[in-house]
DNA sequence: CGGCAACTTGAAGGAAATCAACGTTAGTGG
DNA sequence: CCACTAACGTTGATTTCCTTCAAGTTGCCG
């Protein structure tokens, strides 16, 4: 029921790629009363392209994604948009942020989230030091993943960035038991571009290039089939 | 004596720029016995360009920078180097990372650091929930700062990145009571380039361009004088 | 079937990388 | 103190990759 306690243990020690974070929850390692308190809050539902919150909003709750995909983004004064991260089922959003949100969050698909009041989180930290350590581990892992993405933006070509991106989605599939070689993209080309620091044209062209090279196939615009994972890994290196 | 407890309160609520993190410590808000335990460890000293640790090394301690500047970096298979962050006096390194370091750390100047054993940190988390919350806050702030830098790399021009970088250093000066308009660069052009995702040539050219425009002056290669802070702010926007 | 949004593709332009040469500074030893 | 050297920094010319601008095309939903 509650992912908080479980996820941190499943996370790999040194995540190499983005989206390498959480997995489905176990419920046996939390104190029962608190688990129930957290579980009480019934999931909120959002439809595609609906904003869950905006940058600057009061963040009295943290969110656990139960179903669907969420896009965290920021709008810049010059009109640019930057996608900070994508969050999938099992992920936590805003669990360690300021008193106001530092980014906006938009549903990419139909989304169900569980809202956990921050004061309850603080209460858990007070009473269960184990819990605090796990939360710290989660924060540390998100930091590592963010740095990995930063490195990607600082030092890699469009092709390499796309390869890293696709491999991250592929690994996420593997970790959730889905087909590694078949990726359903819940996000548009604009979302991908804003995430990778590229224009939609470059994203599209790079997809075409990878397709021409036989590395991937694109039966539909939202479906990527990985044909040559080894080559994709090589391209991801740079 | 110990920065851990104090820094988190001084950190601004939503840091807008890198290097906006910690400030000198206060000691009054920690339980005395533990403070003393932490203070016992006498600072280690490193000379310029000496590595404190390498990526992959066991990280049994976290480091508090007492004096000097440290450069966190990663070496990529393709020979590229990426500078993750710079750490200044008062900053904490590796306080929330994996069991092995996810980046290497090198002294840019003579450096003194206090080494705090991780097990002691865990002990503090167990016994002092306040402490755990503060550590979480520190992690959250570093995440926010990292995301800010990521945005910079993803969406800004060479000129804008340099402007953001210089303003961050300027703000750090202000926060430590030093001259806002006079920046002593402890890092080389290579370090700056690897941090901003630019080549040394571009870094150098951008410095020259800013100088020509009267935005900054460069009496020496390691000294930047900010002549037109407003214009620099404008350039930082993009 | 029409209309619109998302995506693709092509051509031209620009920002930064690369390649190459020259200056400058700091550190060393005569 | 000065000459020498090597690392660091600057500047210029050229190339490359990605962006921008501009049409098309596809696919979805009424």
């Amino acid at each position: 029921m509650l992912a908080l306690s479980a996820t941190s243990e499943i996370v790999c020690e040194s995540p190499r790629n983005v989206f390498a974070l959480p997995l489905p929850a176990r419920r046996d390692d939390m104190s029962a009363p608190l688990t129930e308190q957290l579980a009480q809050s019934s999931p909120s539902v959002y439809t595609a392209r609906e904003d869950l919150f905006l940058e600057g909003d009061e963040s009295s709750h943290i969110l656990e994604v139960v179903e669907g995909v969420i896009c965290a983004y920021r709008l810049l004064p010059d009109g640019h948009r930057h996608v900070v991260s994508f969050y999938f089922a099992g992920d936590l959003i805003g669990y360690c942020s300021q008193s106001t949100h530092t980014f906006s969050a938009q549903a990419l698909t139909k989304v169900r989230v569980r809202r956990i009041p921050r004061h309850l989180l603080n209460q858990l930290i007070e009473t269960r030091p184990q819990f605090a350590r796990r939360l710290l581990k989660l924060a540390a892992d998100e930091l590592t993943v963010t740095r990995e993405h930063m490195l990607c933006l600082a030092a890699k070509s469009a092709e390499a960035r796309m390869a890293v991106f696709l491999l991250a989605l592929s690994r996420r599939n593997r970790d959730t038991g889905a087909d590694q070689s078949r990726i359903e993209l819940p996000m548009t080309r604009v979302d991908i571009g804003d995430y990778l620091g590229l224009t939609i044209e470059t994203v599209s062209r790079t997809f075409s290039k990878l397709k021409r090279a036989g590395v991937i196939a694109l039966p539909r615009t939202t479906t990527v089939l990985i044909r040559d994972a080894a080559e994709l890994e090589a391209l991801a290196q740079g």
Side-chain angles (χ1 to χ4, degrees), chain A:
Chain A
M1 208 65 179
L2 174 73
L4 279 180
S5 54
T7 42
S8 58
E9 293 195 335
I10 299 165
V11 166
C12 62
E13 270 301 303
S14 50
R16 296 264 179 75
N17 274 292
V18 286
F19 313 139
L21 283 178
L23 283 179
R26 290 181 315 193
R27 60 177 312 179
D28 52 276
D29 49 359
M30 283 298 295
S31 67
L34 287 167
T35 309
E36 276 153 30
Q37 275 189 65
L38 288 170
Q40 273 171 14
S41 58
S42 62
S44 317
V45 178
Y46 297 85
T47 59
R49 293 297 156 183
E50 192 177 353
D51 277 315
L52 281 79
F53 55 81
L54 296 178
E55 184 175 349
D57 281 0
E58 190 78 20
S59 76
S60 54
H61 293 68
I62 68 163
L63 304 182
E64 183 198 346
V65 185
V66 177
E67 178 198 337
V69 184
I70 289 168
C71 167
Y73 69 96
R74 301 181 62 186
L75 295 173
L76 298 164
D78 63 8
H80 268 103
R81 192 184 72 138
H82 176 240
V83 168
V84 177
S85 184
F86 298 107
Y87 292 96
F88 295 79
D91 291 351
L92 288 175
I93 306 181
Y95 61 90
C96 64
S97 72
Q98 277 70 26
S99 65
T100 57
H101 288 291
T102 58
F103 52 76
S104 307
Q106 187 178 63
L108 294 183
T109 61
K110 180 201 168 192
V111 157
R112 280 193 305 139
V113 295
R114 196 170 286 129
R115 298 161 58 80
I116 304 162
R118 184 176 297 269
H119 70 80
L120 222 152
L121 216 65
N122 288 336
Q123 192 181 320
L124 272 171
I125 292 168
E126 304 282 342
T127 53
R128 306 255 314 161
Q130 276 280 6
F131 185 86
R133 275 236 296 280
R134 282 170 178 167
L135 221 50
L136 259 169
K137 176 109 178 61
L138 262 183
D141 288 335
E142 182 143 11
L143 194 54
T144 303
V145 163
T146 303
R147 287 203 184 109
E148 200 69 38
H149 186 211
M150 192 171 77
L151 181 149
C152 192
L153 294 172
K156 302 206 176 194
S157 68
E159 199 178 42
R161 290 183 209 182
M162 291 279 295
V164 168
F165 176 70
L166 292 175
L167 284 170
L169 289 171
S170 170
R171 285 211 188 91
R172 166 164 282 274
N173 273 2
R174 184 199 58 196
D175 293 345
T176 56
D179 186 353
Q180 260 190 86
S181 65
R182 182 187 187 84
I183 300 167
E184 291 297 329
L185 298 172
M187 66 289 282
T188 66
R189 301 293 191 258
V190 175
D191 295 326
I192 298 171
D194 289 347
Y195 179 63
L196 297 177
L198 303 170
T199 60
I200 46 168
E201 292 94 331
T202 301
V203 171
S204 182
R205 266 187 262 272
T206 307
F207 268 131
S208 301
K209 193 175 166 188
L210 292 174
K211 194 168 67 175
R212 243 177 287 124
V215 179
I216 61 167
L218 281 165
R220 295 185 308 140
T221 55
T222 56
T223 307
V224 179
L225 302 178
I226 299 181
R227 294 285 190 216
D228 188 345
E231 179 60 18
L232 201 59
E233 295 272 4
L235 291 174
Q237 293 296 319

